[in-house]
Amino acid sequence: RRGILVKGGAFLEAAGRVRALALDKTGTLTAGRPQVTDVVPLDGGHGEEDLLHLAASLNAASEHPIAAAIVADCARRHACDPLPVAAFEALVGRGVAGTVDGARLFLGNHRLTEENRVCGPHVESVLDRLHAEGK
């Protein structure tokens, strides 16, 4: 509700043990609003705009900060009216799923790619590069 995204309960517990906080000389902190930085087609079957449009359609009804960033980025890049999504499902802690134009789609984190057996060396190399860039 306050625009704070914390990844994991351990980080909240660690914050409870903080005794002092040091800020930079101007006292600024980052806004903490997720943004889309890269759209990376992995299979060659879809372009960046198509993938972003599908992702925004799956996330259109979600209130998750990352979902909102995807929808906003799609709208910023081009007219992005969401496609109809049937059988939408929130996969707690992993992502979302739904059917668009008869195709069952999954959108989520690394664990979800492993569960759906689509993770492999080609995916791992992209994830490693993006992670090394702080994304």
Side-chain angles (χ1 to χ4, degrees), residues 6-43:
V6 178
K7 188 174 180 178
F11 299 106
L12 284 175
E13 291 174 11
R17 293 188 299 271
V18 170
R19 297 290 175 243
L21 178 65
L23 302 176
D24 65 17
K25 65 183 177 181
T26 62
T28 59
L29 296 173
T30 60
R33 288 185 193 93
Q35 294 182 36
V36 174
T37 60
D38 299 81
V39 178
V40 184
L42 295 173
D43 66 358

Short mmCIF file of all heavy atoms in Angstrom, two decimals, residues 6-43:
data_model
loop_
_atom_site.label_atom_id
_atom_site.label_comp_id
_atom_site.label_asym_id
_atom_site.label_seq_id
_atom_site.Cartn_x
_atom_site.Cartn_y
_atom_site.Cartn_z
N VAL A 6 9.11 -5.85 -0.57
CA VAL A 6 10.13 -6.59 0.15
C VAL A 6 10.08 -8.03 -0.33
O VAL A 6 9.02 -8.66 -0.30
CB VAL A 6 9.92 -6.53 1.68
CG1 VAL A 6 10.98 -7.34 2.39
CG2 VAL A 6 9.92 -5.10 2.16
N LYS A 7 11.21 -8.55 -0.79
CA LYS A 7 11.26 -9.90 -1.33
C LYS A 7 11.72 -10.86 -0.24
O LYS A 7 12.90 -11.05 -0.04
CB LYS A 7 12.20 -9.93 -2.53
CG LYS A 7 12.15 -11.24 -3.26
CD LYS A 7 12.97 -11.18 -4.51
CE LYS A 7 12.91 -12.51 -5.22
NZ LYS A 7 13.65 -12.49 -6.47
N GLY A 8 10.76 -11.42 0.47
CA GLY A 8 11.08 -12.43 1.48
C GLY A 8 10.98 -11.93 2.90
O GLY A 8 11.37 -10.80 3.21
N GLY A 9 10.45 -12.77 3.76
CA GLY A 9 10.26 -12.44 5.16
C GLY A 9 11.56 -12.23 5.92
O GLY A 9 11.61 -11.47 6.89
N ALA A 10 12.63 -12.88 5.48
CA ALA A 10 13.91 -12.74 6.17
C ALA A 10 14.39 -11.29 6.14
O ALA A 10 15.00 -10.80 7.10
CB ALA A 10 14.96 -13.65 5.53
N PHE A 11 14.07 -10.58 5.05
CA PHE A 11 14.50 -9.18 4.94
C PHE A 11 13.70 -8.29 5.88
O PHE A 11 14.23 -7.33 6.43
CB PHE A 11 14.38 -8.70 3.50
CG PHE A 11 15.26 -9.49 2.55
CD1 PHE A 11 14.70 -10.42 1.70
CD2 PHE A 11 16.62 -9.32 2.56
CE1 PHE A 11 15.50 -11.16 0.85
CE2 PHE A 11 17.44 -10.05 1.71
CZ PHE A 11 16.88 -10.98 0.86
N LEU A 12 12.44 -8.61 6.08
CA LEU A 12 11.63 -7.86 7.04
C LEU A 12 12.15 -8.09 8.46
O LEU A 12 12.24 -7.16 9.26
CB LEU A 12 10.16 -8.28 6.97
CG LEU A 12 9.37 -7.75 5.79
CD1 LEU A 12 7.97 -8.35 5.79
CD2 LEU A 12 9.29 -6.24 5.83
N GLU A 13 12.50 -9.33 8.76
CA GLU A 13 13.05 -9.64 10.09
C GLU A 13 14.36 -8.91 10.31
O GLU A 13 14.61 -8.39 11.40
CB GLU A 13 13.23 -11.15 10.23
CG GLU A 13 11.91 -11.90 10.31
CD GLU A 13 12.10 -13.40 10.31
OE1 GLU A 13 13.25 -13.88 10.46
OE2 GLU A 13 11.08 -14.10 10.16
N ALA A 14 15.21 -8.85 9.29
CA ALA A 14 16.49 -8.15 9.41
C ALA A 14 16.26 -6.67 9.66
O ALA A 14 16.99 -6.04 10.44
CB ALA A 14 17.33 -8.36 8.15
N ALA A 15 15.26 -6.09 9.02
CA ALA A 15 14.97 -4.66 9.22
C ALA A 15 14.58 -4.38 10.66
O ALA A 15 14.86 -3.30 11.18
CB ALA A 15 13.85 -4.21 8.28
N GLY A 16 13.98 -5.35 11.32
CA GLY A 16 13.60 -5.17 12.72
C GLY A 16 14.79 -5.10 13.66
O GLY A 16 14.66 -4.63 14.79
N ARG A 17 15.95 -5.56 13.21
CA ARG A 17 17.16 -5.53 14.04
C ARG A 17 18.03 -4.31 13.77
O ARG A 17 19.07 -4.13 14.40
CB ARG A 17 17.97 -6.81 13.79
CG ARG A 17 17.26 -8.07 14.30
CD ARG A 17 18.15 -9.30 14.23
NE ARG A 17 18.57 -9.62 12.86
CZ ARG A 17 17.90 -10.40 12.01
NH1 ARG A 17 16.76 -10.94 12.39
NH2 ARG A 17 18.36 -10.64 10.81
N VAL A 18 17.60 -3.44 12.84
CA VAL A 18 18.38 -2.25 12.50
C VAL A 18 18.40 -1.29 13.69
O VAL A 18 17.37 -1.00 14.29
CB VAL A 18 17.79 -1.54 11.25
CG1 VAL A 18 18.44 -0.19 11.03
CG2 VAL A 18 17.98 -2.42 10.03
N ARG A 19 19.58 -0.80 14.04
CA ARG A 19 19.73 0.14 15.16
C ARG A 19 20.09 1.54 14.66
O ARG A 19 19.93 2.52 15.36
CB ARG A 19 20.80 -0.34 16.13
CG ARG A 19 20.47 -1.66 16.79
CD ARG A 19 19.32 -1.47 17.79
NE ARG A 19 18.91 -2.76 18.32
CZ ARG A 19 17.73 -3.32 18.16
NH1 ARG A 19 16.80 -2.72 17.48
NH2 ARG A 19 17.46 -4.49 18.67
N ALA A 20 20.66 1.62 13.44
CA ALA A 20 21.04 2.92 12.88
C ALA A 20 20.87 2.85 11.37
O ALA A 20 20.97 1.78 10.77
CB ALA A 20 22.50 3.23 13.22
N LEU A 21 20.62 3.99 10.77
CA LEU A 21 20.43 4.08 9.33
C LEU A 21 21.26 5.23 8.80
O LEU A 21 21.17 6.36 9.30
CB LEU A 21 18.94 4.31 9.00
CG LEU A 21 18.56 4.47 7.54
CD1 LEU A 21 18.82 3.16 6.78
CD2 LEU A 21 17.10 4.85 7.42
N ALA A 22 22.11 4.97 7.80
CA ALA A 22 22.94 6.02 7.20
C ALA A 22 22.42 6.30 5.80
O ALA A 22 22.19 5.38 5.03
CB ALA A 22 24.39 5.57 7.13
N LEU A 23 22.22 7.57 5.49
CA LEU A 23 21.75 7.99 4.17
C LEU A 23 22.86 8.74 3.47
O LEU A 23 23.76 9.26 4.11
CB LEU A 23 20.51 8.89 4.31
CG LEU A 23 19.31 8.27 5.03
CD1 LEU A 23 18.20 9.29 5.18
CD2 LEU A 23 18.82 7.04 4.30
N ASP A 24 22.75 8.84 2.14
CA ASP A 24 23.75 9.62 1.43
C ASP A 24 23.60 11.09 1.80
O ASP A 24 22.65 11.49 2.46
CB ASP A 24 23.68 9.38 -0.08
CG ASP A 24 22.38 9.86 -0.71
OD1 ASP A 24 21.67 10.65 -0.08
OD2 ASP A 24 22.10 9.45 -1.84
N LYS A 25 24.54 11.91 1.35
CA LYS A 25 24.57 13.29 1.81
C LYS A 25 23.34 14.10 1.45
O LYS A 25 23.02 15.08 2.10
CB LYS A 25 25.83 14.00 1.30
CG LYS A 25 25.89 14.16 -0.19
CD LYS A 25 27.19 14.81 -0.60
CE LYS A 25 27.26 14.88 -2.11
NZ LYS A 25 28.47 15.48 -2.56
N THR A 26 22.58 13.67 0.41
CA THR A 26 21.38 14.42 0.08
C THR A 26 20.15 13.83 0.76
O THR A 26 19.08 14.42 0.73
CB THR A 26 21.13 14.43 -1.44
OG1 THR A 26 20.95 13.08 -1.89
CG2 THR A 26 22.28 15.08 -2.18
N GLY A 27 20.29 12.64 1.35
CA GLY A 27 19.17 12.01 2.05
C GLY A 27 18.15 11.37 1.12
O GLY A 27 17.03 11.10 1.53
N THR A 28 18.53 11.13 -0.13
CA THR A 28 17.58 10.55 -1.07
C THR A 28 17.63 9.02 -1.05
O THR A 28 18.65 8.42 -0.77
CB THR A 28 17.87 11.02 -2.51
OG1 THR A 28 19.19 10.63 -2.85
CG2 THR A 28 17.72 12.52 -2.64
N LEU A 29 16.50 8.44 -1.31
CA LEU A 29 16.39 6.99 -1.46
C LEU A 29 15.68 6.72 -2.78
O LEU A 29 14.92 7.55 -3.27
CB LEU A 29 15.59 6.38 -0.30
CG LEU A 29 16.22 6.52 1.07
CD1 LEU A 29 15.27 6.02 2.14
CD2 LEU A 29 17.52 5.73 1.13
N THR A 30 15.88 5.55 -3.33
CA THR A 30 15.20 5.23 -4.59
C THR A 30 13.70 5.12 -4.38
O THR A 30 13.23 4.84 -3.27
CB THR A 30 15.73 3.91 -5.18
OG1 THR A 30 15.48 2.87 -4.25
CG2 THR A 30 17.20 3.99 -5.50
N ALA A 31 12.95 5.31 -5.45
CA ALA A 31 11.49 5.30 -5.37
C ALA A 31 10.95 3.91 -5.12
O ALA A 31 9.86 3.76 -4.57
CB ALA A 31 10.90 5.87 -6.66
N GLY A 32 11.65 2.86 -5.52
CA GLY A 32 11.19 1.51 -5.28
C GLY A 32 10.01 1.10 -6.15
O GLY A 32 9.19 0.30 -5.74
N ARG A 33 9.92 1.67 -7.35
CA ARG A 33 8.85 1.31 -8.28
C ARG A 33 9.46 0.45 -9.38
O ARG A 33 10.29 0.94 -10.16
CB ARG A 33 8.22 2.57 -8.88
CG ARG A 33 7.39 3.32 -7.87
CD ARG A 33 6.67 4.50 -8.54
NE ARG A 33 6.14 5.36 -7.49
CZ ARG A 33 6.75 6.40 -6.97
NH1 ARG A 33 7.94 6.74 -7.41
NH2 ARG A 33 6.18 7.12 -6.03
N PRO A 34 9.04 -0.81 -9.49
CA PRO A 34 9.59 -1.68 -10.54
C PRO A 34 9.34 -1.10 -11.93
O PRO A 34 8.32 -0.44 -12.16
CB PRO A 34 8.83 -2.99 -10.37
CG PRO A 34 8.29 -2.95 -8.98
CD PRO A 34 8.06 -1.51 -8.66
N GLN A 35 10.27 -1.35 -12.83
CA GLN A 35 10.16 -0.93 -14.22
C GLN A 35 10.63 -2.06 -15.11
O GLN A 35 11.52 -2.82 -14.74
CB GLN A 35 11.05 0.28 -14.50
CG GLN A 35 10.67 1.53 -13.80
CD GLN A 35 11.62 2.66 -14.20
OE1 GLN A 35 12.05 2.75 -15.34
NE2 GLN A 35 11.94 3.52 -13.25
N VAL A 36 10.05 -2.14 -16.29
CA VAL A 36 10.52 -3.09 -17.30
C VAL A 36 11.80 -2.51 -17.89
O VAL A 36 11.82 -1.36 -18.32
CB VAL A 36 9.46 -3.31 -18.40
CG1 VAL A 36 10.02 -4.18 -19.52
CG2 VAL A 36 8.20 -3.94 -17.80
N THR A 37 12.86 -3.30 -17.89
CA THR A 37 14.12 -2.84 -18.46
C THR A 37 14.48 -3.60 -19.72
O THR A 37 15.16 -3.07 -20.59
CB THR A 37 15.28 -2.99 -17.45
OG1 THR A 37 15.41 -4.37 -17.12
CG2 THR A 37 15.06 -2.15 -16.22
N ASP A 38 14.05 -4.85 -19.82
CA ASP A 38 14.40 -5.70 -20.96
C ASP A 38 13.21 -6.61 -21.29
O ASP A 38 12.54 -7.11 -20.38
CB ASP A 38 15.58 -6.60 -20.63
CG ASP A 38 16.83 -5.83 -20.29
OD1 ASP A 38 16.96 -5.37 -19.13
OD2 ASP A 38 17.68 -5.70 -21.18
N VAL A 39 12.98 -6.83 -22.56
CA VAL A 39 12.07 -7.85 -23.04
C VAL A 39 12.91 -8.73 -23.96
O VAL A 39 13.41 -8.25 -24.98
CB VAL A 39 10.86 -7.26 -23.79
CG1 VAL A 39 9.96 -8.37 -24.32
CG2 VAL A 39 10.08 -6.31 -22.90
N VAL A 40 13.11 -9.99 -23.57
CA VAL A 40 14.05 -10.85 -24.28
C VAL A 40 13.32 -12.07 -24.85
O VAL A 40 13.02 -13.02 -24.12
CB VAL A 40 15.19 -11.33 -23.34
CG1 VAL A 40 16.21 -12.15 -24.11
CG2 VAL A 40 15.85 -10.15 -22.65
N PRO A 41 13.01 -12.07 -26.16
CA PRO A 41 12.41 -13.27 -26.77
C PRO A 41 13.43 -14.40 -26.75
O PRO A 41 14.60 -14.22 -27.10
CB PRO A 41 12.11 -12.83 -28.20
CG PRO A 41 12.15 -11.34 -28.18
CD PRO A 41 13.12 -10.97 -27.09
N LEU A 42 13.01 -15.58 -26.31
CA LEU A 42 13.93 -16.70 -26.21
C LEU A 42 13.72 -17.77 -27.28
O LEU A 42 14.63 -18.53 -27.57
CB LEU A 42 13.81 -17.35 -24.82
CG LEU A 42 14.23 -16.48 -23.66
CD1 LEU A 42 13.91 -17.16 -22.34
CD2 LEU A 42 15.71 -16.14 -23.73
N ASP A 43 12.52 -17.82 -27.85
CA ASP A 43 12.24 -18.91 -28.79
C ASP A 43 12.19 -18.49 -30.25
O ASP A 43 12.08 -19.31 -31.12
CB ASP A 43 10.95 -19.62 -28.41
CG ASP A 43 9.72 -18.74 -28.58
OD1 ASP A 43 9.87 -17.56 -28.95
OD2 ASP A 43 8.61 -19.23 -28.34
#
